[in-house]
Amino acid sequence: MRPRTGFLVAGWLTYASYYVARVALAVAKPVLARNGVSYTTLSWFDLSFLGSYVIGQFVSGCMADRLSCRLMMLGGLLSSTFVCLALAVVGINPAGMFPWAIHGLVQSLGWSPLLRATRELPFDVDRPLAMC
C-alpha cells in the first residue's frame, strides 16, 4: 500500500470513529423518548452539543495551523471517549448537558486537523479530489 493511500485509509477510519461518537445520542433518542425523556430535554442536549461544536470548529481550525494535527486528533478521540463515559455516569438530566457540550468541543478536533494533515501530503492529483 502506498503511503498516501495508507494515510487516506487511516484518515477515513479516524473520522469514522469521530462520527460514531458524535451520533451516539441521536441513535439513542427514540429509546430515551420511549423511556420518558422529553424531546425538549433532548433538544437542549442537541443545542449544547452543536453550539460548542460550531465554536470548536473555528478554534480547532486556528489551532491546526499551529499544533500537531495527529496529537489534536488523538486527543480529541480520547477526550471524546471519556466525555461519553462521563455522560453515561451523569445521565440525561440538566447536569448532563455540560459533558455533552464538552463533547462538542472535543468532537471539533477531528475534521480541521485531518484536512490540515491531508494538505501537507505530496499528491500526484488535485488535492480536493484526494478525499473523494
Side-chain angles (χ1 to χ4, degrees):
M1 184 181 303
R2 293 171 34 195
R4 178 179 73 190
T5 306
F7 176 84
L8 292 176
V9 169
W12 276 111
L13 290 174
T14 301
Y15 191 73
S17 300
Y18 269 101
Y19 186 78
V20 167
R22 184 179 311 134
V23 299
L25 188 62
V27 171
K29 274 184 185 180
V31 175
L32 291 170
R34 274 183 274 162
N35 290 328
V37 179
S38 71
Y39 280 108
T40 303
T41 301
L42 295 172
S43 297
W44 281 106
F45 271 80
D46 284 340
L47 178 66
S48 69
F49 174 83
L50 293 172
S52 63
Y53 183 73
V54 167
I55 293 167
Q57 281 288 10
F58 176 75
V59 172
S60 70
C62 295
M63 287 175 27
D65 290 335
R66 293 171 179 79
L67 302 175
S68 168
C69 296
R70 291 178 184 161
L71 289 178
M72 284 180 66
M73 288 186 287
L74 178 64
L77 280 173
L78 292 175
S79 300
S80 182
T81 302
F82 291 121
V83 171
C84 283
L85 290 173
L87 181 66
V89 170
V90 173
I92 303 294
N93 56 46
M97 283 192 284
F98 179 72
W100 203 243
I102 299 298
H103 185 57
L105 288 174
V106 298
Q107 277 286 306
S108 67
L109 293 174
W111 188 244
S112 298
L114 181 61
L115 290 181
R116 167 72 177 175
T118 304
R119 182 178 72 184
E120 295 176 359
L121 287 177
F123 287 113
D124 301 341
V125 297
D126 292 331
R127 289 178 204 273
L129 297 177
M131 293 298 280
C132 296

